[in-house]
Amino acid sequence: MEYKKVYVKTVLTLILVYSTFFISSLFSSDFYGNIFSPIACMATLVIMYRNTSRINGAAQPLSKRIWTHLTIAVLAWTISDIVWSYYYFFTPFDPGESLFLIHSYSISNVFLFTAEIICAVEIFKKWNLLQLILDSVSIALSTIILLWVVYFNSSFEIVMIISQQHTVDNIMFVLDIAALIGILVTAFSIREGKVNLHTKLVICGVFVFILGDLHYLYQTFYDLYTPNSMTDFTYMIGFLLIAIGSITKNYWEHMKIRETFSYINVGLQHRRLTIFIFPLIALLFRNFDIQIITNFLVIIVFREILSSYLQKYIEHEKLLSKEKEMNLLLEDKIRQRTMEITKKNKQLEIKNTELDYMSKKDHLTNLYNRRYFFEKFNNSFLSTLDSGRTALFYIDLDRFKIINDMYGHHVGDMALIEISRRLKLYDNDDSILARLGGDEFVLVKYGDFTYDEFSQLADSIIHDCNAPIEIGEYMLYVSASIGISVYPVDAKDSYTLMRNADLAMHEMKDNGKNGYIFFDSKFSDKAKRKLLLENLLKSADYDKEFSILYQPQFNIDSKKIIGAEALLRWNNKELGSVSPEEFIPIAEETDCINSIGQWVMEQAIKQSAKWNKMCYNVKVGINVSPKQLDSKNLIETLTKILEENSLSPKYIDIEITENVAVAGEYKIHQINSLFSSLGVSVSIDDFGTGYSALSYLKIFPFERIKIAKPLIDVIATDSFDYEIVKAVITLAKSIGIRTIAEGVESEDQLEILTSLGCDEVQGFLVGRPIDKYEFEELLKNN
């Protein structure tokens, strides 16, 4: 608001200064005119200079150049005016007699025309060329006709008289006409948008200045000019308008008012009617002249017809231009979208590559996984059928579950990673290495190899697996069992080759582990029998096919029967008698052991209850498998059976294999919590054949240790086993645990056990497994 007041005050002050010159011009006063004219010019020059210097040349280079030329035009006029006044007031010389001084005023015309040219070049290059030519020709012809009527009075004699004037005057005359045509073209041409105020003021100022100069030249030609007259004020009016335009521009920029004018000669055509001003002006200076009016009308009609077609053409071009812009915009959007899609595709390719890699690799060991192995193996197998032998090494780590149970799965995973690193040494261009899952690996070897070379490779793998594995504070020892199946000897297809290697590996585990074995057809027969037994077990009628034999257990000192071990037997109607060593492991693998174990428990407890009602006081040992121990219903079932048969728990001994010891203290405490509250005794079976340390005896919740038969078999011939048995018995006695020797079959064994202080014995020497009726007779006789 404050700046607006300054703007208004500046304009009013400038108008006031010019008013003084107007009054002097009105009365044609040379004295006052020569005083106020330089003052008005200097005031205009100061304003123009200040406002021009505020224009940012870097941001508005064109505007800076135009306003600089306008300022120089005012400066040239101001200097000429000051010199004129100096001559008038301080010398006897008449300034009106000096052609040099008179023509010095023409410098202003040159700079104004130059400013107009600079502006026109910028404006016209944005106009449609055809429309510009049409407008320029029609307005130029109209202007020339108007000047012919007004200026030359339609007389060639006047033209000749004027042409004989001073060269500078003729040049200025031509310059004025060109400038006038340029201004009229700019003003009367069709265009879009609204011309801003300061541009209008400048155009009007230049237009008035040119009219004043044309009027001056006219008066000069006819020797009618009087200094400090209204002709001079016309010049000053032009400068006043230009100065106000400069002030307005500065005000707009300060107030940040945006310009809306677009220098394009297309759009609404309401301005075309303004060309009728030419014949109207002609009528003012000349009575109605049909020829002149006809000339104007021809020009107007010609212009309007062509302009109509041109505007349609321009509009069409404009639509095409917009369509091209839209197409370019669309193409740009498509290009951007294509780039985005390409980028997304690349990212997707990277992700797919990663997913493909992850789908092929085992996340822990970075070896091929099971799925990709079979895919790659099948493809490679078909392509190498005629290239020699193909050997498949099925590798399984022995007792690896012990490491996971004792040290945790983290340590187990680190061990698997180390084993995988060692196996990678054998993964070459002629092989495929993969982890099938858990602790199982497979290595396929292609080429013309011999069995000896396959054996050497298996030995190397076992040797590398046996090397100690150091993980943190632990030193682990791992062994491997390897089954080898060779194409085309053992199989004709990849599936059979894999199955046979698996069978060979399991055979190696059954034969002692930590070694390798080539597939033999008898392994397949064994597998078929195993499958047959599995199916028969699932469909077996326990009451008809199973039976319980009881092997007596004797006190070594009193030679009296103190109990019996319930031993399960299976007599199948198809296969006949099946050894427990054969069908019990299968029952454990297929989970049939739980139902079979419950049946054995029911029969043994029922029989024990019968004998104890007969006052024989016999304790019956019942074998319970590790899977039964994991059953949440074991204690509930055992309690129910005891209650149903009214048998005291003290007459039942639960026999658990030594393997539960390797599960660690957690498992031992779990067993203790299961049976301690029930009242049954617990024995550890087959002690000495597994991997439990003697130190475990301190934490076992067991009442009796059953020394394994393999140790008893060689106790009389093997000093090492003798010392083991001796140590077990001695340690057991020291902590109050009874010992019983299994599989006693000779007098020598019995004598040694007696001398070592063993508490109880069982075996063929003292009593074979017999049915319940024979055992009952034995109880009577004992």
Side-chain angles (χ1 to χ4, degrees), residues 73 151 178 201 307 336 400 454 501 535 616 656 675 677 694 768:
Y151 213 83
L201 289 171
S307 182
Q336 292 179 6
F400 191 77
F454 290 144
N535 292 330
Y616 290 129
I656 299 171
F675 298 108
S677 60
L694 292 176
R768 292 177 176 271

Side-chain angles (χ1 to χ4, degrees), residues 349-556:
E349 287 177 4
I350 294 172
K351 291 294 183 183
N352 286 337
T353 301
E354 293 175 355
L355 289 173
D356 183 59
Y357 177 84
M358 293 173 63
S359 68
K360 294 177 181 178
K361 295 291 185 175
D362 173 62
H363 72 281
L364 178 64
T365 62
N366 207 32
L367 301 179
Y368 286 133
N369 57 28
R370 182 185 188 91
R371 182 196 63 80
Y372 184 71
F373 165 74
F374 283 111
E375 178 184 329
K376 184 174 179 64
F377 174 49
N378 288 333
N379 294 337
S380 301
F381 183 81
L382 293 173
S383 63
T384 56
L385 288 178
D386 300 325
S387 62
R389 292 189 177 94
T390 297
L392 192 149
F393 295 73
Y394 203 115
I395 307 165
D396 187 87
L397 303 182
D398 299 325
R399 303 183 185 88
F400 191 77
K401 185 176 183 297
I402 297 172
I403 294 177
N404 282 331
D405 292 340
M406 294 186 67
Y407 303 106
H409 286 280
H410 174 69
V411 174
D413 288 345
M414 296 300 290
L416 287 174
I417 292 172
E418 175 59 24
I419 292 295
S420 300
R421 187 189 65 79
R422 297 175 184 181
L423 291 176
K424 283 180 183 178
L425 299 174
Y426 305 98
D427 186 15
N428 303 313
D429 295 337
D430 59 354
S431 60
I432 306 174
L433 176 64
R435 180 192 179 201
L436 297 182
D439 57 356
E440 293 183 340
F441 302 86
V442 63
L443 174 68
V444 177
K445 203 74 174 176
Y446 299 101
D448 193 12
F449 296 101
T450 64
Y451 274 80
D452 288 340
E453 289 173 320
F454 290 144
S455 297
Q456 291 173 8
L457 177 59
D459 280 329
S460 297
I461 294 173
I462 292 170
H463 178 268
D464 288 345
C465 289
N466 287 342
I469 301 174
E470 185 176 353
I471 301 175
E473 60 184 283
Y474 305 113
M475 186 67 72
L476 306 180
Y477 294 89
V478 177
S479 64
S481 296
I482 303 176
I484 308 172
S485 179
V486 180
Y487 168 88
V489 178
D490 300 326
K492 303 299 181 182
D493 59 79
S494 59
Y495 172 79
T496 308
L497 193 69
M498 185 76 176
R499 183 198 65 187
N500 291 346
D502 188 18
L503 290 174
M505 182 271 294
H506 281 92
E507 185 67 21
M508 186 65 243
K509 283 190 171 293
D510 294 340
N511 292 343
K513 304 179 179 64
N514 195 28
Y516 69 90
I517 190 171
F518 286 92
F519 172 76
D520 192 298
S521 59
K522 65 182 181 182
F523 301 160
S524 181
D525 296 336
K526 183 177 179 181
K528 290 178 181 178
R529 178 171 173 81
K530 182 179 179 181
L531 181 60
L532 176 61
L533 291 177
E534 179 181 325
N535 292 330
L536 292 174
L537 274 176
K538 291 179 179 178
S539 60
D541 187 335
Y542 296 170
D543 293 329
K544 293 181 179 180
E545 298 183 40
F546 288 144
S547 61
I548 304 292
L549 298 183
Y550 298 91
Q551 186 171 26
Q553 299 170 338
F554 293 86
N555 183 286
I556 205 168

Side-chain angles (χ1 to χ4, degrees), residues 559-597:
K559 304 296 188 291
K560 289 186 177 182
I561 298 175
I562 50 88
E565 181 180 359
L567 301 173
L568 178 63
R569 296 294 184 264
W570 182 23
N571 187 26
N572 182 261
K573 58 183 179 180
E574 295 182 20
L575 303 177
S577 179
V578 183
S579 170
E581 287 76 13
E582 186 177 14
F583 76 81
I584 291 297
I586 297 174
E588 289 182 341
E589 289 179 14
T590 58
D591 291 335
C592 291
I593 193 66
N594 287 323
S595 58
I596 293 174

Side-chain angles (χ1 to χ4, degrees), residues 761-781:
V761 293
Q762 81 178 69
F764 284 3
L765 178 65
V766 294
R768 292 177 176 271
I770 54 180
D771 62 26
K772 58 185 178 181
Y773 303 109
E774 293 177 293
F775 191 81
E776 192 172 317
E777 289 296 321
L778 185 62
L779 287 174
K780 292 178 181 179
N781 297 331

Side-chain angles (χ1 to χ4, degrees), residues 551-556 559 561 709 712-713 715-716 741-754 760-770 778:
Q551 186 171 26
Q553 299 170 338
F554 293 86
N555 183 286
I556 205 168
K559 304 296 188 291
I561 298 175
K709 184 179 183 301
I712 303 302
D713 287 343
I715 193 173
E742 295 183 284
V744 178
E745 297 179 355
S746 69
E747 292 292 343
D748 292 341
Q749 295 170 353
L750 183 59
E751 289 179 5
I752 292 173
L753 291 169
T754 303
E760 300 160 3
V761 293
Q762 81 178 69
F764 284 3
L765 178 65
V766 294
R768 292 177 176 271
I770 54 180
L778 185 62

